[in-house]
Structure formats: structure tokens, C-alpha cells
Amino acid sequence: MKKLLNPDDSTSQKIMGIHGMSGTGKTTIAKAVYNEVCAQFDQSCFMEDVRRMLSSENGGDVALQTNIISSILKVDFQVRNVGEGINIIRDRVCRHKVLIVLDDVDERFDFDRVFGRLDYFSTESRFIITTTDKRVLIKFDHKLYEPEEMSHEYSLMLFSKHAFGADHPPAEFLDASEKFVEAASRLPIALKVIGSLLFRRDMKFWDAKLAELRSIHPTKVQERLRISYNELTYYEKQIFLDIACFFVGEDKEIPFYMWDGSGYHPEGGIDSLIMKSLIKINERNQFWMHDHFRRLGEHIVHEDYPQQPFKRSRIWSNEDALEILRSGGKARRNYYRVEALRIDMRNMIEGQDGVVPLMKKLPGLRYLEVAYGRLVGDLKEALPKLRCLRLRHCSSVPANFSMEELTVLELRGSAVRDDWQGWKGLILKGARHLKVVDVSSCRDLETPPDLSPCPSLQVLNLSHCSAMKGKLPISNLTELRQLNISRTHITELSGGDNLTTKLQKLQTISALDSALTSLPADLQHLSSLKALEWKTNSRNAINVDYNRLLLLPAGLTRLTLSRTVVANLSDLEDLEELRFEHCPQKASIFEDIARLLKLKILILRFSDDNHGSDQDDRRAITMLALPPSLTRLHVRHYMHREIYFPSLVGLNRLTELYLIHVGFLEIPSLNQLVALETLRIFEAPNLVNLDGLEGLEHLMYLTVENCGALKTIPSLQSSSTKLQKLVINRCPRLTQIRGFVKLKPSLPSQLIRIRECPSLIIVDEEGGSSGQDTARTSFIGAS
């Protein structure tokens, strides 16, 4: 596949196709290739599940354009229409050498409608398209890769890993294992799930499942996988179907609260589904499910009433929702079977006014998600079983629906105001089961809602409510776990005396770019607090008493602060991440950091208002003994002259070092960073050398920009087998890059960016030079 891709050949085709039936490893191959070669491109993105993204309820072409543009340009961007998306891609994306992977593409994908034209992109850009339908690719000049059937040896190994937790089966199970491998047609996804099903089961169970598997035709993959579904408990089946229909790619937290409120025992159910290889939780805490299982779940829901969507338990497609809207608003019948409904009304004209009448006819509904709707009307105690209500960017929101059983109330980006009657409903009806309130990005809310009648509340998200100001009363929220008031104008967390004694379950406080001028007294007594993010916006920074020493709870694992001096920083023995904006240049802070033996991420950003600080404090950073547990270190805006960087001895786990706008003269002990993969130095005008660079055997990315005093870069030969990208920019006194002549053959020219270095001469290991003019034309990348 990498040979077919051939990213260094500008005459090669731009589109690579991976074709095969579901479950054969197309996505796995695409991800592996992407991870191997993405560094050879200026920008890259991996778009998963394009087929689903192109469905109307998920935004179609505009959603795909939005995600691609945001990923390539590294900004949050919302495309308003297809034409705008094409213009942005042509003018801003196509200027880069890009790698774009489009995973799981079907016949609805139209390249020209999403990207404009293929010839907008440079000859070195590449697209990888995975599909089960070869017709998707025939319209392009493309290269095709079709995964071969997995060998018997590797099929047996994959099966054994899931059935026994080992590469090979025990002798007494060898014959049966080989029979399962052949019965599963060596299909990777089937080997995983069937192996997981058989884990720690007796031979009698094995024999029964083998007979069942053999009775199913080899081409009917979903029916084979259904064997595992049939073994689930009732509650596990409900959770599985919900994930398949609604929650793939969603954070697990919201549905967890709904399932808990419905009595589905989600903690054990989710663990069971993971153990059976039916779902995964990815690194972003989101549900992931193989496309085969998602389709299986949708098929199970669909098969009961294929021609009557209003009788199904779950409705997730806009087409089915529209059909119900057309008939349901006028029909007299109630739809008792419908438990969960999702509808996206973006670009929908027909049916806008039918949502509220439909909601009245859904007495069994426990999950409702509406996006971009206009929900006008009186619900009069409708939705008695509703557990989770998610209204996103709705222009109007009903108020008097039943709230007695509600566990999740999400009104993200919707038009609710302080006088919304739903707040009174919470008070009058006593929402005793409510666990989550998310009104983030509700820009019309000016006053924090009174949630004192919600004693079970665990998650409160008010972030990006830009008009919200004043005090937030939280003393009655004794079950609160997560609080987010970032980018609001809330000035105080109020609750009278002994506030912290009432918040003993609080785990996270996020107040980034907020107006919060102080934290609760006795904050150190919040024994459950694990994450604290407090950074006051510039407008309110003058109202904060930064001279007051802050005492923090000892159990913190993540901490972000601005300007504040922490009295007990060295006592935070569990701290793994420390981000200090406008870090005070105090010797005590640097001494404390050295004692944080679990710290993995350290980001220190200083400010220009420290220029007048004491000379001893300015030099204190040179005495900082960095903890050996560090994996990432960023230092920004430390411009004092004649200051040396702290010793790096002992940092055997550090993989990433950023120095941005710093005045250090040198970086001592650089060769001690045996695990370093990324070194980026931006604007270090006093840096005179990079001694030790030649010893970094695992270095993959090196960037040196705006270093006016730098004269020589040592040999990179020891890094030649790992180095994937070299950027050197605006270093006017740089005269030598030693060993570059030998390094260049192992590093494609597209990955070398050397610009605005007028004094540069390339020097080989024997001391010979290529000559300045030759260096500029042969080795210096075009701007």
C-alpha cells in the first residue's frame, strides 16, 4: 500500500483505493499507512465513517467539508454551504501538500461536490479511499489495493488472542480452534468477536456455537456476528442497540446517565460489551463500534417492522423521522413502542411545526435528540418516561414537559433565556433525578440558573455562555462532580460558609478565560478534586489578588493556573499535568516542581510583566531539577538574557520539548534526552549552539525558527533512521549543518524546509562543503 501511495512521485496518481468487504481490515490498513506517512505531508486528516457523515441527518457534504477544513487548517470552522466549502478548500487547503483519508465511502460521495476538482490539489497530494463498493472508484484515475485473505496461521493467532489471551491455543483446544477459524472464513472481525465469545467457556458451549456458526452461510457476516449478540442479557442488548443507533463517536458520559436512570446497570453492561469485543472506548472517552456491529444493531431494530418506522423502538434516520412527522401529527394513534428518537432539522422546511405534536404521541420516549429545530407548542405533561433530552441549536424550546424522571437536560447552543419557564418547572416538579445540565453556548442566558431543586446534579456545564454574569450558587449541589464555567462572566462560586464541606464529591472545576476572581476558601479540603483549571480573562485579571497564596487539595492530577502562587505545590504528589500561564518567576515554584515525581506534562508560560523581578528569582529557573517522569515540556516567553536552560539530566522519558520566545543562551545536557522525538525551538534570539543534538537517536521532528545567534547545527547522522521532518527558518547567522549531505538521502526533499538562512553552507562529516550556492539550490526547500 505504501508503494502504491508513492508520496515522493509527483507523476503518480493522487487517489489510492482500498476495496474489500467489511471486516477485512481496510480501515486498519488505512490507519497504519496514515500513521506511517502523514509526516511526509504538510497537513493531513483521517475522516472516519464518511458514509454516515454524508447522511442528511449528520450534515451531508457540508459536514464533511467542515471536518476536513477544520482538521487541515487546525481551526474550528463551520461551513455554511457547499459552495463556500469548495472555495475555502481551493484557496486555503489546496495550497498545502495534503494527505486525506476518506474511510467507508459509499455511492453518495461526490468528489467534485465536496472538493471542487481534483486538479485543484498539488501533484504531491494524496487521497486514500476505503470502500466496499468498487463503483465509488471507477470515476477516478486511481490505484487499487484489495486486502488478501488472512492466512490460516495468522487467523489462528488472532482467534487465540481473544479466545485464550495467548498467541496459540492450548493443545486440547487446537482442533476446535482450527474449525472455528475456517467456519469464520478467516474474517478478522468475526475471529475477534467469536474468540471473545468463547473466552473461558467449556467445550460443550464451544460445540454448540460451532454448530450454530456452521449453519450460517459464509456470506452472511452479520448473522454470524449475531451469535454474540444473542448471548447478551436484556440490559446489555438495550445498551448495544442504543450505541449502534445513536452513540458511536459520542462521549460515553451522557448515555451512561440515561442508562443508569433507566435501570440498565451500565457499568457492568459496558464492561461486558468491551470484553466481548462488541464495542471499544477510544482515547477520547468515546464509543467506537465496528461498522458490522453498527449495521447489525440497526438491522435488529429495523427487522421487527421494516415498513412501519413508527412501531420501531428507535428512530435515528431523518427519512424515517420525516415519514412519522408527515403522518404522526394528524394521526390519532400514540407511538408507544418508540423509546428513542433523533432528528436533525437543519435545512428542513417541511415538518418544523410537527415536532411538538409528535412528541405528545410518544409516551414511551426515554431519549430525544433534536438539532436546529423550532419547537413551538404546549406539551402539557408529555413525555412521562423521558430520561435524556438533548436540544442543540434549537431556535425555541418547550417548557412544560414532564421532568420527574429526567436525568440529562442538554440545551447546547439553543435559544433559552433567563425567563424560560423550564427553570420554574425544575423548581415546581423537583427534578430529583436530574444528573446533567448542559446549557453551554446558550448566549442569551445572562444569569446562572437556580438549580437548587436538583439535589442529584453531578454535571453542570455553563461554558461559552458569554452573556452570563454574577454569582453562581452551588451550595445545595452536594452531588456535583463536574463544573465548567469557562468563557463566562461568572465572578463567584457562592454558597455561604463552609462551601467546600458541601462539595466533597467535586472532581473537576474548569474556569478558563472566565471572570472568576477567587476560588472558594478552604479549597484544599475538596478531597475528591482531581482537575482544576483557573485562568481569568484579561479584562478581570486586575480584580484578582495574586499575592494571596493558594492552598490546593493534595489529590489533584491536572492543574492549570495563571499568575497565582501556590502555597503547597510540592505537596501535590499525584499531579500529572501542570500548565502555568504567566508563571511567577519565584525560586520557590521551581523548587516545588522538582518534587512532583508523577508529573508528565509541564507547560510554563511566562509574561513580560516579570522583567523587574529580583535577579535571584530570574536565575532560579537555571537551578530547576526537572522531575524524571516528564514526557512533555514547554517553556514560553522567558526572555531574560544570559540565563541558561535547566539541566536535562535524567529526563529519560521526555518525548517532546518546545522552547518558544525564550532568551536562553544554550540548552545543556541535550544529549541526555534519549527518548526525545520532537524538538521545536521558535524565536530564541540568544541561542548560540545546539550541542548534544547529534546524540538524539529517536528524534523525528526538528524545527528551529527565528534563532538569530545560532551559527551551527551539529551532525544529525545518528537521527537519520528516525528523522521524519526538518524545518529551519530565519536563522541569518547559521553557517553549517554538519552531516547534512549524508542525511539527505534518507529524508525526502519534501520533508526538508530550510528558508531564509543566507549564510548557510552544508558541511559533510569529513569537513568538506558543498558550497553556498549549491546548498541553496540543492538542499533548501522552496518557500
Side-chain angles (χ1 to χ4, degrees):
M1 183 63 198
K2 287 168 63 179
K3 290 179 180 178
L4 287 177
L5 193 66
N6 198 7
D8 300 325
D9 184 2
S10 61
T11 64
S12 184
Q13 288 103 321
K14 297 177 186 174
I15 294 180
M16 311 294 118
I18 305 179
H19 168 255
M21 65 180 293
S22 292
T24 55
K26 298 186 302 299
T27 300
T28 301
I29 293 168
K31 284 183 177 179
V33 173
Y34 176 84
N35 291 333
E36 285 266 346
V37 305
C38 64
Q40 300 179 30
F41 295 82
D42 296 332
Q43 301 292 343
S44 60
C45 65
F46 194 111
M47 291 291 108
E48 296 187 86
D49 201 5
V50 172
R51 177 179 60 87
R52 179 167 287 261
M53 195 182 301
L54 288 176
S55 62
S56 57
E57 60 263 30
N58 289 316
D61 296 318
V62 170
L64 181 56
Q65 289 176 326
T66 295
N67 280 277
I68 290 170
I69 291 169
S70 298
S71 296
I72 294 293
L73 300 182
K74 304 295 188 293
V75 295
D76 289 331
F77 199 93
Q78 180 61 56
V79 174
R80 289 171 293 187
N81 55 64
V82 167
E84 180 188 53
I86 290 175
N87 289 336
I88 294 169
I89 289 172
R90 181 191 62 207
D91 297 338
R92 299 181 63 185
V93 173
C94 292
R95 67 176 63 177
H96 302 286
K97 174 187 174 183
V98 298
L99 170 64
I100 298 175
V101 179
L102 303 171
D103 183 47
D104 191 18
V105 175
D106 66 6
E107 72 282 353
R108 285 174 294 186
F109 173 69
D110 185 330
F111 188 98
D112 292 347
R113 183 169 171 80
V114 175
F115 294 102
R117 296 193 335 226
L118 184 58
D119 59 14
Y120 286 163
F121 292 85
S122 71
T123 56
E124 295 174 338
S125 290
R126 294 290 185 270
F127 295 83
I128 298 176
I129 296 175
T130 75
T131 182
T132 58
D133 188 348
K134 195 179 292 188
R135 292 173 298 177
V136 169
L137 298 166
I138 59 175
K139 64 186 73 172
F140 307 114
D141 180 21
H142 69 280
K143 293 181 180 178
L144 183 65
Y145 176 75
E146 295 183 283
E148 298 178 357
E149 182 184 81
M150 186 179 287
S151 70
H152 179 82
E153 178 186 359
Y154 283 113
S155 296
L156 185 61
M157 182 182 295
L158 180 61
F159 174 83
S160 298
K161 282 182 178 291
H162 291 271
F164 306 105
D167 287 344
H168 304 285
E172 64 270 25
F173 281 90
L174 177 59
D175 182 59
S177 296
E178 291 185 331
K179 291 177 181 177
F180 268 102
V181 165
E182 295 308 316
S185 304
R186 304 183 191 176
L187 191 66
I189 184 62
L191 294 170
K192 289 180 181 179
V193 70
I194 294 171
S196 299
L197 174 66
L198 300 173
F199 183 66
R200 292 182 176 174
R201 305 301 290 264
D202 58 27
M203 187 57 76
K204 183 178 179 181
F205 185 83
W206 277 55
D207 291 340
K209 292 306 163 187
L210 181 59
E212 188 175 347
L213 186 62
R214 283 176 165 174
S215 69
I216 302 171
H217 194 277
T219 60
K220 296 183 177 181
V221 178
Q222 284 190 9
E223 288 189 26
R224 294 176 167 210
L225 301 181
R226 189 163 182 164
I227 294 173
S228 289
Y229 171 82
N230 292 337
E231 292 296 317
L232 299 177
T233 68
Y234 170 79
Y235 294 128
E236 289 169 354
K237 287 179 179 178
Q238 301 311 306
I239 293 172
F240 174 84
L241 295 177
D242 279 350
I243 295 173
C245 297
F246 296 104
F247 300 124
V248 174
E250 290 266 354
D251 190 287
K252 73 172 187 177
E253 183 176 79
I254 296 298
F256 185 96
Y257 284 114
M258 177 187 69
W259 295 323
D260 189 44
S262 300
Y264 287 0
H265 313 293
E267 191 164 344
I270 292 171
D271 286 345
S272 179
L273 295 177
I274 292 173
M275 291 297 295
K276 291 179 170 66
S277 297
L278 299 176
I279 66 170
K280 291 181 181 178
I281 306 295
N282 66 19
E283 65 279 0
R284 291 174 290 184
N285 209 40
Q286 297 170 331
F287 287 118
W288 180 89
M289 178 182 282
H290 192 280
D291 190 54
H292 265 311
F293 291 115
R294 189 167 56 200
R295 290 179 181 175
L296 172 63
E298 293 175 347
H299 175 72
I300 289 171
V301 174
H302 185 270
E303 68 182 350
D304 289 338
Y305 298 94
Q307 304 302 322
Q308 298 173 296
F310 54 84
K311 289 187 178 181
R312 298 177 198 151
S313 62
R314 295 159 179 86
I315 300 168
W316 61 91
S317 77
N318 269 9
E319 289 79 6
D320 290 341
L322 266 176
E323 183 177 339
I324 293 176
L325 281 175
R326 291 190 190 104
S327 60
K330 298 176 182 179
R332 294 183 178 180
R333 61 173 174 262
N334 287 343
Y335 304 125
Y336 290 99
R337 296 180 184 271
V338 180
E339 299 176 18
L341 169 67
R342 179 177 66 198
I343 181 168
D344 188 330
M345 310 196 73
R346 191 170 11 194
N347 305 320
M348 187 184 298
I349 299 175
E350 180 184 10
Q352 276 278 358
D353 295 329
V355 177
V356 168
L358 175 63
M359 290 163 67
K360 295 179 180 180
K361 299 178 181 295
L362 299 170
L365 205 65
R366 57 182 171 83
Y367 177 80
L368 174 62
E369 178 183 339
V370 182
Y372 297 93
R374 186 178 67 246
L375 308 184
V376 180
D378 191 345
L379 287 172
K380 291 182 179 177
E381 309 300 319
L383 307 177
K385 296 183 178 180
L386 191 65
R387 298 296 195 280
C388 181
L389 176 64
R390 308 179 80 178
L391 304 182
R392 299 179 176 180
H393 306 285
C394 289
S395 58
S396 60
V397 178
N400 59 347
F401 55 91
S402 176
M403 297 186 183
E404 282 82 354
E405 303 298 328
L406 198 65
T407 59
V408 177
L409 175 63
E410 181 183 306
L411 305 175
R412 188 180 303 179
S414 295
V416 290
R417 301 177 181 274
D418 297 338
D419 59 356
W420 180 57
Q421 293 301 304
W423 304 128
K424 292 183 179 179
L426 293 177
I427 296 173
L428 294 174
K429 298 172 183 178
R432 63 186 184 281
H433 298 299
L434 195 63
K435 301 288 183 65
V436 179
V437 172
D438 183 349
V439 292
S440 58
S441 300
C442 291
R443 304 184 188 280
D444 294 327
L445 282 176
E446 297 182 5
T447 305
D450 179 11
L451 298 172
S452 55
C454 308
S456 301
L457 193 68
Q458 296 185 20
V459 179
L460 177 57
N461 188 354
L462 308 177
S463 65
H464 293 84
C465 291
S466 53
M468 190 175 289
K469 56 185 180 294
K471 298 179 180 180
L472 174 64
I474 56 174
S475 59
N476 290 333
L477 306 180
T478 55
E479 297 293 318
L480 195 64
R481 265 77 163 174
Q482 299 177 34
L483 173 64
N484 192 340
I485 59 169
S486 295
R487 294 173 180 84
T488 69
H489 294 286
I490 292 173
T491 56
E492 182 182 342
L493 304 179
S494 65
D497 297 334
N498 301 318
L499 178 61
T500 57
T501 62
K502 303 171 185 176
L503 300 174
Q504 285 300 301
K505 296 183 179 180
L506 191 60
Q507 299 173 1
T508 302
I509 300 176
S510 296
L512 295 173
D513 296 319
S514 70
L516 194 68
T517 56
S518 65
L519 292 168
D522 300 325
L523 186 73
Q524 72 271 24
H525 297 312
L526 290 180
S527 57
S528 296
L529 196 68
K530 299 298 181 184
L532 172 63
E533 301 173 323
W534 180 35
K535 187 173 68 171
T536 304
N537 59 40
S538 56
R539 183 184 305 175
N540 292 278
I542 58 174
N543 298 319
V544 179
D545 181 8
Y546 292 115
N547 293 318
R548 177 185 172 186
L549 292 178
L550 184 64
L551 283 166
L552 296 175
L556 280 177
T557 60
R558 191 172 79 246
L559 176 63
T560 298
L561 289 175
S562 177
R563 296 183 174 88
T564 305
V565 178
V566 181
N568 62 328
L569 185 61
S570 63
D571 295 336
L572 307 183
E573 296 180 352
D574 294 327
L575 200 64
E576 297 179 1
E577 180 177 336
L578 174 60
R579 296 172 183 262
F580 223 138
E581 301 280 336
H582 304 289
C583 179
Q585 296 174 27
K586 300 292 184 184
S588 58
I589 290 178
F590 302 130
E591 292 171 0
D592 288 346
I593 289 174
R595 299 186 180 100
L596 303 176
L597 300 182
K598 293 184 181 179
L599 195 66
K600 296 178 181 178
I601 299 172
L602 176 60
I603 297 177
L604 299 176
R605 180 169 184 165
F606 299 89
S607 59
D608 294 334
D609 57 9
N610 287 303
H611 284 308
S613 59
D614 184 83
Q615 180 73 8
D616 290 338
D617 281 337
R618 294 209 311 268
R619 291 188 176 277
I621 193 173
T622 65
M623 304 302 293
L624 170 60
L626 294 163
S629 53
L630 278 185
T631 60
R632 292 174 57 195
L633 174 61
H634 293 197
V635 178
R636 299 170 181 252
H637 299 289
Y638 197 94
M639 287 303 294
H640 296 301
R641 294 178 179 273
E642 300 180 359
I643 301 295
Y644 291 87
F645 196 73
S647 171
L648 300 173
V649 174
L651 299 187
N652 297 329
R653 302 177 188 176
L654 196 72
T655 61
E656 181 177 293
L657 175 60
Y658 279 32
L659 302 177
I660 301 174
H661 197 238
V662 294
F664 301 115
L665 297 174
E666 64 178 45
I667 309 173
S669 314
L670 187 60
N671 62 345
Q672 297 290 315
L673 304 180
V674 294
L676 195 69
E677 297 176 355
T678 302
L679 175 60
R680 290 182 174 162
I681 304 172
F682 298 89
E683 198 163 344
N686 304 323
L687 190 66
V688 294
N689 67 65
L690 282 172
D691 289 346
L693 189 67
E694 63 276 13
L696 304 181
E697 297 183 359
H698 292 88
L699 192 66
M700 298 170 64
Y701 306 99
L702 174 62
T703 301
V704 181
E705 296 195 49
N706 288 1
C707 295
L710 188 65
K711 294 182 179 181
T712 302
I713 291 182
S715 172
L716 295 168
Q717 273 299 101
S718 62
S719 304
S720 61
T721 58
K722 296 284 187 177
L723 199 64
Q724 295 186 16
K725 195 163 189 176
L726 174 64
V727 177
I728 302 175
N729 196 14
R730 291 188 292 277
C731 298
R733 296 185 184 180
L734 182 65
T735 59
Q736 297 180 355
I737 303 178
R738 293 191 173 275
F740 187 80
V741 173
K742 293 184 178 179
L743 170 68
K744 184 179 179 292
S746 66
L747 192 63
S749 59
Q750 295 91 339
L751 302 183
I752 302 172
R753 296 287 185 270
I754 304 177
R755 302 168 180 159
E756 299 184 42
C757 300
S759 304
L760 181 61
I761 298 175
I762 305 299
V763 179
D764 61 28
E765 289 298 310
E766 287 72 32
S769 72
S770 63
Q772 187 174 19
D773 292 336
T774 304
R776 288 177 185 167
T777 56
S778 300
F779 303 118
I780 300 178
S783 60

